[in-house]
Amino acid sequence: MELLYFGDKGWGDELLFATLMTIAVSITAMIIGFIFAALITPLKLSNNKILNTIGNAYTTVIRGVPELLVIYLFFFGGSGAIMFVASIFGYNDYIEINAFLTGSFSIGIISGAYSTEVFRGALQSIDKGQFEAAKVLGFNKYIYFFKIILPQMLRLAIPNLSNVWQITLKDTSLISVTGLVEIMRQSYIAAGSTRDPLFFYCFAAILYLMLTYISMKIINRLEIKYSRGY
Amino acid sequence: MDFDLMFTSFPKLLGATVVTLKLLSASLFFGLIIGFLFAILRLNKNIFINKFAYGYSYLFRGTPLLVQIFIIYFGLGQIEYLRSSFLWVILKEPYWCAIIAFTLNTGAYTSEILRSAFQTIKPEIIEAGKSLGISNKIIFYKIQIPIAIRQSLPAYGNEIILMMKGTSLASTVTLMDLTGVAKYIISTTFKPIEVFIVAGGIYLFMTFIIHNFIKYLEKKYSFSQ
């Protein structure tokens, strides 16, 4: 247990910060994923063939390729791409992008593909009459989307989004390969310097279990809130 | 775009695909056995057996696969007793450690898929079998299992694809699978996009084959409703 003391003696405070980092990356990735989903879902539902293909290509490629490969693409390709853009504007020095941004962005793109599928499914299972009724009653676009369609969509989407959240949370462990100090990376460092990998990896597993357990409890509350009246 | 690199790296990546496929098939085979076993334990009425099986699936579904591989590969070697036992022959090999981790992981998901398939079988079907005087054993083997397998096909197809993506983590324990070789080529040539297109293409091709194979099975074994 001494290994978990706070301060110089143990790894308690380091692991606590690492846990906070995991939570921060997961939330950022989830939000980036929502932004992607908000952009791609209309494409997937559109009648235009080209837009439709773009939307389908995004979800198919990301869901069919290992997360680790996507992370490597952004880890090795990210700064190259940014430097290329910067060189157009006449900036030729080496640019290193923050590991947090690369990590959240790559996990965000992955989680976005899953969220897109969830939103598409939820939108498609809303009764058609709801869309028609809202239009016939002459509501403006804001009320139409935010007060009528979105609440119904969320009720159907939240149970599946909770799965997406669990996947995202677990995927953040893969960012440790890029050197961002989250739970997995911190355990790797601690295991290396104390020569006690069994303890630290098991402790990492407990931390992840705690995170998934707590988030499940929170999501269950949301589920109840959004299924009022059903 | 460096097409030469794409051409030269393709055979290397294809060679590494064999490792990925070996890992995948071995872990799916053992995972199916474990999943089946634990699904039956979950349906047991004894609360301890039930809780034990639930604990197993909760533990492996609630933690990242990476942690599980690291515990088995780096962690278990620390136990002196294991190092001196015959198990060490297996546990010192990263290849077998990866297979053990993948097996336990996919076993947990498979057990959940099969359990829910068993539970969605209508009780009328079992009652009908009983009232016809068929023994419990035959009801289980000839009625419940075929229906459960059919029910769980779509979900199991997803699990196969998830597991295929999961095998990429073998590269973190020094195995040169498809992702491992791809990472090696990327880090020596610094051309991530070209390598990603080739390696990603191979993965997508495998996903495509698995997806269509499962669809074919679903059609073949669909109920005439």
Side-chain angles (χ1 to χ4, degrees):
Chain A
M1 265 333 218
E2 268 176 33
L3 290 169
L4 291 178
Y5 283 165
F6 280 61
D8 293 337
K9 269 187 182 167
W11 294 87
D13 46 345
E14 280 87 351
L15 282 167
L16 180 68
F17 284 123
T19 311
L20 293 177
M21 182 58 101
T22 292
I23 297 171
V25 175
S26 311
I27 292 174
T28 320
M30 202 68 189
I31 291 168
I32 293 173
F34 281 157
I35 296 170
F36 268 93
L39 294 171
I40 304 289
T41 312
L43 296 187
K44 279 200 83 151
L45 294 172
S46 94
N47 292 323
N48 185 322
K49 260 207 168 144
I50 301 169
L51 295 181
N52 210 322
T53 312
I54 295 173
N56 283 333
Y58 167 67
T59 51
T60 314
V61 170
I62 297 293
R63 293 189 310 149
V65 168
E67 295 82 0
L68 206 53
L69 205 60
V70 179
I71 291 170
Y72 284 139
L73 175 72
F74 285 102
F75 178 56
F76 289 105
S79 65
I82 300 241
M83 277 194 317
F84 176 73
V85 175
S87 71
I88 297 172
F89 294 102
Y91 185 87
N92 285 319
D93 282 341
Y94 181 72
I95 304 170
E96 194 183 317
I97 347 172
N98 186 299
F100 181 83
L101 284 180
T102 331
S104 339
F105 195 74
S106 40
I107 298 291
I109 282 193
I110 295 162
S111 115
Y114 290 98
S115 303
T116 305
E117 292 292 341
V118 171
F119 286 143
R120 182 190 56 86
L123 266 179
Q124 280 179 335
S125 42
I126 296 176
D127 191 11
K128 280 228 173 75
Q130 296 284 337
F131 294 92
E132 282 160 15
K135 267 186 192 151
V136 168
L137 290 170
F139 286 127
N140 65 31
K141 273 191 173 157
Y142 171 80
I143 293 180
Y144 173 74
F145 184 73
F146 285 96
K147 295 281 170 185
I148 295 166
I149 302 304
L150 195 67
Q152 298 192 60
M153 193 182 91
L154 280 180
R155 177 182 71 86
L156 296 165
I158 281 180
N160 291 325
L161 282 181
S162 106
N163 283 338
V164 177
W165 165 254
Q166 304 266 7
I167 292 172
T168 307
L169 187 66
K170 286 189 276 174
D171 277 352
T172 58
S173 68
L174 301 178
I175 314 179
S176 59
V177 297
T178 67
L180 181 75
V181 185
E182 38 70 76
I183 296 177
M184 217 42 223
R185 183 77 195 160
Q186 190 62 64
S187 314
Y188 183 81
I189 297 168
S193 77
T194 58
R195 296 180 176 274
D196 196 352
L198 187 62
F199 174 78
F200 280 106
Y201 291 136
C202 286
F203 192 69
I206 294 169
L207 286 176
Y208 279 111
L209 274 182
M210 258 167 49
L211 288 179
T212 45
Y213 179 78
I214 294 168
S215 45
M216 220 166 71
K217 291 276 158 201
I218 296 172
I219 291 165
N220 280 346
R221 289 215 173 152
L222 278 179
E223 230 170 275
I224 293 166
K225 191 185 160 197
Y226 278 97
S227 55
R228 272 175 311 185
Y230 281 92
Chain B
M1 206 48 109
D2 187 346
F3 287 106
D4 277 348
L5 177 69
M6 285 168 83
F7 276 117
T8 50
S9 58
F10 184 66
K12 288 181 207 161
L13 290 168
L14 216 54
T17 310
V18 177
V19 180
T20 294
L21 285 176
K22 269 187 195 166
L23 287 170
L24 178 65
S25 46
S27 41
L28 283 178
F29 175 73
F30 295 123
L32 202 57
I33 297 172
I34 288 190
F36 198 76
L37 218 90
F38 275 88
I40 291 168
L41 291 185
R42 275 299 289 282
L43 298 170
N44 198 304
K45 292 209 172 62
N46 185 325
I47 197 155
F48 289 108
I49 295 174
N50 199 322
K51 280 267 170 315
F52 167 71
Y54 178 70
Y56 161 74
S57 91
Y58 188 81
L59 206 66
F60 279 88
R61 290 182 311 132
T63 54
L65 182 54
L66 191 64
V67 181
Q68 294 157 20
I69 293 185
F70 276 17
I71 289 178
I72 290 169
Y73 183 61
F74 294 111
L76 290 185
Q78 208 183 323
I79 304 169
E80 205 55 51
Y81 176 72
L82 272 179
R83 290 183 74 112
S84 51
S85 77
F86 70 97
L87 281 173
W88 187 239
V89 185
I90 296 170
L91 285 173
K92 72 179 178 191
E93 294 286 339
Y95 183 75
W96 288 108
C97 284
I99 286 182
I100 293 170
F102 296 154
T103 299
L104 291 173
N105 187 276
T106 186
Y109 283 96
T110 310
S111 78
E112 286 296 315
I113 292 168
L114 288 173
R115 176 193 58 88
S116 70
F118 273 117
Q119 281 178 339
T120 49
I121 296 176
K122 284 185 194 137
E124 289 93 328
I125 293 174
I126 297 164
E127 279 166 22
K130 275 186 185 157
S131 61
L132 287 171
I134 303 171
S135 73
N136 280 344
K137 213 174 170 184
I138 292 176
I139 288 177
F140 183 70
Y141 284 110
K142 295 275 168 182
I143 298 173
Q144 280 180 285
I145 288 185
I147 295 177
I149 288 175
R150 171 61 189 86
Q151 293 275 37
S152 54
L153 263 181
Y156 191 64
N158 280 339
E159 173 55 24
I160 295 176
I161 291 172
L162 283 180
M163 207 52 235
M164 187 199 74
K165 297 200 298 176
T167 56
S168 68
L169 298 188
S171 64
T172 58
V173 289
T174 70
L175 280 176
M176 287 314 247
D177 74 322
L178 186 45
T179 303
V181 172
K183 191 213 165 189
Y184 175 75
I185 300 175
I186 291 173
S187 56
T188 47
T189 59
F190 283 101
K191 295 227 162 64
I193 295 169
E194 286 86 346
V195 181
F196 178 80
I197 291 172
V198 179
I202 296 174
Y203 273 116
L204 277 181
F205 182 70
M206 291 197 281
T207 313
F208 177 77
I209 301 263
I210 296 168
H211 181 82
N212 281 308
F213 179 63
I214 292 293
K215 261 202 170 157
Y216 162 78
L217 285 183
E218 267 175 56
K219 226 179 189 174
K220 193 173 169 195
Y221 293 107
S222 65
F223 305 123
S224 46
Q225 279 175 332

